[in-house]
Amino acid sequence: MTHLILLPFVLPLLTGAFLMLLTERPAARRMVAVLSTLTGLAVGVGLLHQAAAGTVQYQVGAWPWPFGITLWLDRMSALMVMLSSVIAVVALIPGVGIEDGRNRYALALAQFQIAGINGSFLAGDLFNLFVCFEILLISSYALLVHGHPRAPRAGLIYTVINLTGSAVFLLGIGLLYGATGSLNLVDLAGRLQVLAPDAAAMAYTGAWLVALVFALKAALLPVGLWLPNAYGVSGPMAITLFALLTKVGVYALARVFAPWFPSDVAELAGVGDVLRVLALGSIVVSALLALASRTMRQLAGALVIGSVATALLGLSAGGVVALSATLFYVVHSTIAAAAIFLVAAYLGRLRGSAEDRLDVSPAISSRGPAMLLFLGVAMVVTGMPPLSGFLGKLSVLQAVAPTPGAGWSIGLLLGGSLLTLLAVTRAGNAVFLKAPVVAATTRPAPGASVVGAAAAVMLALSIAMSLFAGPLRQWTDLAA
């Protein structure tokens, strides 16, 4: 069972390569993608059982630690791989039903992206974390530009920003290796504590550069304003998978910096303070962006920025309780982000020429089911009790309560949640309540029911998470 840790990365990577050979055989291409993704889900379950029995450190090629490629499986990485596997299965619904018909390489690109995401969660050293980042980003570039007529421009901005981030990441890795002689995360954690002053300055510079890149991937202020435009033009399969991309940045910050810089390291005692300030700023900006949104997708992008900031606010508090709250909220916010983007895509297909713009338009077909779906997802993303969003935010509030300046943190988080609720209410009012109550005059675009089904599955997953919040929180406590 030890070699099972390889499959979340190797299986989608090989599947993606094989799908590139089936460009002229759509039925076979879809069957292979479905079988591989479902197998990945089964592997995720197996890794959960393996992680529950104990941590696994896997040295690829049997190179001695800390040399070579290290894969690291514990409760934290197993939870994230399982989340990735679940999201991949849901993304397959619009992938097979819509995207594959428009782009014969879409399913292969999705498999490559899943491989990069899973590899990032399992990477035990910085260089291979960088490699997995590049795999998921390259595939996301290609998926992005096929989603919308405005996609090439947004894709260019997205690509340039992330390529710049990759260059900074590589520079940070070089500085850390030059100062410590190691890139293994566990080995680095020990070496950073015993560095000479001159080497420590180089190492800390590299660490801050790496943290900047993780903040960019997580869409944290001020380097995260690229997200609404990029995500707002993506196709339904891509946007479902993209819900994981920002969480890779959050995971990397938690995985790398928690063991590297414990609270007794005076040189970087300000890491938590800087993270808290940026997270609070992102919460305020996301609420204002949500209020100013003109389309449902822009609103969804603003909500994703706010959800990432909330998770990082919890992480900034430090300690086991804070990390557990962050992991719980990351699971919720990933599902919620995918759900709200799928709802936006669904409404865009139902409303004809009005697409997902937040203005009055003729009544839509399937008004009742669409309204119920939007209402359910709105309750999830705004954190209404007793759903998982409320439980997650409550956990974050409990984690930050003992920290200095907790009043500001709690006040801004609650204020941002209120403004977000107003923005979502305004969007629902514009799309549904102000629409003329007459016979539908718009015809749904092809694939609308497929996107709606994927959104409904995401909503069901969020409700299930609320029902099983106790066992999940026990898992995140042990993981932390």
Side-chain angles (χ1 to χ4, degrees):
M1 288 291 287
T2 303
H3 300 294
L4 189 67
I5 192 175
L6 289 169
L7 285 183
F9 176 74
V10 173
L11 178 63
L13 196 65
L14 294 179
T15 301
F18 184 61
L19 290 178
M20 298 292 285
L21 304 176
L22 299 177
T23 54
E24 304 301 327
R25 301 179 63 184
R29 187 168 64 235
R30 294 166 188 174
M31 182 181 66
V32 170
V34 169
L35 290 176
S36 176
T37 306
L38 292 178
T39 303
L41 182 63
V43 170
V45 174
L47 291 181
L48 284 178
H49 285 285
Q50 195 166 356
T55 299
V56 176
Q57 177 184 298
Y58 185 90
Q59 295 296 127
V60 178
W63 284 85
W65 184 90
F67 308 104
I69 299 174
T70 300
L71 300 180
W72 190 264
L73 178 72
D74 56 14
R75 286 177 177 267
M76 184 175 174
S77 56
L79 176 64
M80 298 306 294
V81 170
M82 186 65 200
L83 177 63
S84 170
S85 301
V86 171
I87 296 295
V89 171
V90 181
L92 201 63
I93 298 173
V96 170
I98 299 174
E99 299 293 338
D100 185 63
R102 299 192 310 180
N103 175 15
R104 57 186 175 177
Y105 300 107
L107 294 177
L109 292 170
Q111 292 294 318
F112 290 135
Q113 187 169 350
I114 294 166
I117 291 170
N118 288 340
S120 299
F121 291 146
L122 295 169
D125 63 275
L126 267 184
F127 185 76
N128 287 290
L129 180 60
F130 167 78
V131 171
C132 292
F133 269 25
E134 294 310 297
I135 292 174
L136 70 89
L137 286 172
I138 289 172
S139 56
S140 70
Y141 301 152
L143 281 174
L144 178 62
V145 297
H146 289 283
H148 194 276
R150 298 194 305 272
R153 182 177 182 275
L156 177 62
I157 297 173
Y158 173 80
T159 302
V160 170
I161 290 175
N162 280 282
L163 285 176
T164 303
S166 297
V168 174
F169 194 3
L170 202 57
L171 176 60
I173 290 175
L175 291 174
L176 280 166
Y177 184 77
T180 64
S182 178
L183 291 178
N184 183 283
L185 295 179
V186 178
D187 192 37
L188 269 172
R191 296 192 182 206
L192 285 170
Q193 314 308 319
V194 294
L195 289 177
D198 55 340
M202 179 188 295
Y204 293 154
T205 301
W208 279 107
L209 291 177
V210 170
L212 175 64
V213 175
F214 292 163
L216 173 67
K217 307 302 182 187
L220 186 65
L221 190 76
V223 289
L225 296 180
W226 54 267
L227 187 146
N229 284 336
Y231 281 29
V233 295
S234 302
M237 180 185 68
I239 203 60
T240 307
L241 293 173
F242 285 6
L244 287 161
L245 297 189
T246 52
K247 306 312 181 294
V248 172
V250 176
Y251 172 87
L253 282 168
R255 170 64 74 187
V256 171
F257 282 86
W260 277 11
F261 305 117
S263 57
D264 58 346
V265 180
E267 290 84 351
L268 275 179
V271 168
D273 296 332
V274 172
L275 191 58
R276 185 178 303 112
V277 170
L278 295 180
L280 290 174
S282 297
I283 289 173
V284 173
V285 170
S286 71
L288 296 177
L289 287 175
L291 288 172
S293 297
R294 295 183 178 181
T295 69
M296 189 70 73
R297 290 194 179 199
Q298 289 177 351
L299 173 61
L303 295 178
V304 170
I305 293 176
S307 69
V308 168
T310 301
L312 292 177
L313 178 62
L315 182 62
S316 70
V320 173
V321 174
L323 182 54
S324 176
T326 299
L327 290 176
F328 185 92
Y329 192 81
V330 161
V331 176
H332 151 75
S333 59
T334 302
I335 296 173
I340 189 63
F341 271 114
L342 285 170
V343 165
Y346 177 51
L347 293 176
R349 281 169 164 75
L350 290 181
R351 300 177 72 218
S353 59
E355 296 185 330
D356 65 333
R357 292 192 300 273
L358 300 180
D359 52 19
V360 180
S361 66
I364 59 177
S365 61
S366 305
R367 177 189 175 111
M371 185 182 298
L372 288 176
L373 183 59
F374 174 83
L375 178 62
V377 173
M379 292 178 64
V380 169
V381 298
T382 54
M384 299 295 288
L387 296 176
S388 56
F390 171 78
L391 299 175
K393 283 189 179 180
L394 182 61
S395 298
V396 171
L397 289 172
Q398 291 173 337
V400 302
T403 61
W408 283 100
S409 299
I410 295 173
L412 288 175
L413 180 56
L414 293 177
S417 299
L418 177 60
L419 293 178
T420 298
L421 177 60
L422 292 175
V424 173
T425 303
R426 179 181 68 91
N429 185 49
V431 173
F432 295 107
L433 299 184
K434 288 187 177 180
V437 185
V438 296
T441 58
T442 60
R443 176 174 296 180
S449 59
V450 174
V451 179
V457 172
M458 279 298 177
L459 178 58
L461 287 173
S462 182
I463 295 172
M465 180 181 170
S466 305
L467 295 175
F468 295 96
L472 177 58
R473 186 56 194 266
Q474 290 176 4
W475 185 277
T476 60
D477 287 343
L478 292 170

